[in-house]
Amino acid sequence: MRVLGVDPGLTRCGVGVVEGVAGRPLAMLGVGVVRTPADAEAGARLVAIEQGIEAWLDEHRPELVAVERVFAQHNVRTVMGTAQASAIAMLCAARRGIPVALHTPSEVKAAITGSGRADKAQVGAMVTRLLRLDAPPKPADAADALALAICHIWRAPALNRLQRAREAARPSRIPTTASVRKVTR
């Protein structure tokens, strides 16, 4: 499975591509940051993020895009920019028919380090070990994007089993009398 992880941000949007399957060594195929100038108009910044993500999608052709789920913060301005960048990543993937998975920061930290309260340094150190890198990716947004991709690869088998169980547990649709009459005429 090839996953593009996106750590959304309006100034720095981390992107990282990881390939592999759960239980096997993973490979980093690319990592970076899509940057926009803080003094640029919001619309221009969103276009730049879209162009950056589109370039990553063109180059790496992921099977899935994993995006950090935006959560409420005290700084509304920061959360708005993060939500906008997140929406751009989801839009770019949806336009191409690529499935999108959302993971919370604590889910990612727990999957990568074993603790949902791990700090950025711990996440960076584990990403470095798991991908057998010489040094942690810089800036932290890049390491976080790789962590998102790893988290999804590891969680995908369990999430798929849960989805199949939910679908199997749904009651089957019982035809109404009106629909039976239409069929028999």
Side-chain angles (χ1 to χ4, degrees):
M1 171 181 283
R2 183 178 292 191
V3 177
L4 170 66
V6 179
D7 181 36
L10 202 50
T11 303
R12 286 183 322 273
C13 184
V15 287
V17 181
V18 176
E19 188 169 61
V21 294
R24 301 258 191 215
L26 304 171
M28 179 188 77
L29 302 181
V31 65
V33 176
V34 177
R35 296 179 188 272
T36 67
D39 60 349
E41 187 266 330
R45 295 174 81 182
L46 294 172
V47 168
I49 291 169
E50 178 203 23
Q51 290 170 341
I53 291 173
E54 288 287 351
W56 278 82
L57 292 171
D58 286 341
E59 182 178 348
H60 295 285
R61 307 249 182 250
E63 298 166 56
L64 187 128
V65 175
V67 181
E68 183 176 279
R69 183 183 298 273
V70 178
F71 62 98
Q73 297 174 338
H74 298 294
N75 186 340
V76 173
R77 190 170 180 196
T78 300
V79 80
M80 287 299 294
T82 302
Q84 291 165 340
S86 177
I88 293 295
M90 291 187 283
L91 173 71
C92 290
R95 187 184 292 140
R96 293 169 182 247
I98 301 171
V100 175
L102 300 173
H103 298 284
T104 66
S106 58
E107 285 173 343
V108 174
K109 291 173 184 179
I112 301 302
T113 70
S115 170
R117 294 177 174 247
D119 62 22
K120 292 221 180 257
Q122 290 171 305
V123 171
M126 285 305 296
V127 164
T128 302
R129 283 182 67 192
L130 293 169
L131 297 175
R132 298 169 313 285
L133 305 174
D134 294 333
K138 300 282 184 188
D141 308 277
D144 289 348
L146 292 171
L148 275 153
I150 294 167
C151 171
H152 186 77
I153 289 169
W154 285 356
R155 292 177 52 115
L159 293 173
N160 290 340
R161 284 192 301 275
L162 285 172
Q163 181 64 29
R164 285 194 301 274
R166 276 191 220 107
E167 289 168 2
R170 284 190 191 136
S172 62
R173 191 181 127 122
I174 300 169
T176 62
T177 310
S179 65
V180 170
R181 269 191 236 128
K182 287 180 187 174
V183 172
T184 57
R185 286 186 187 184

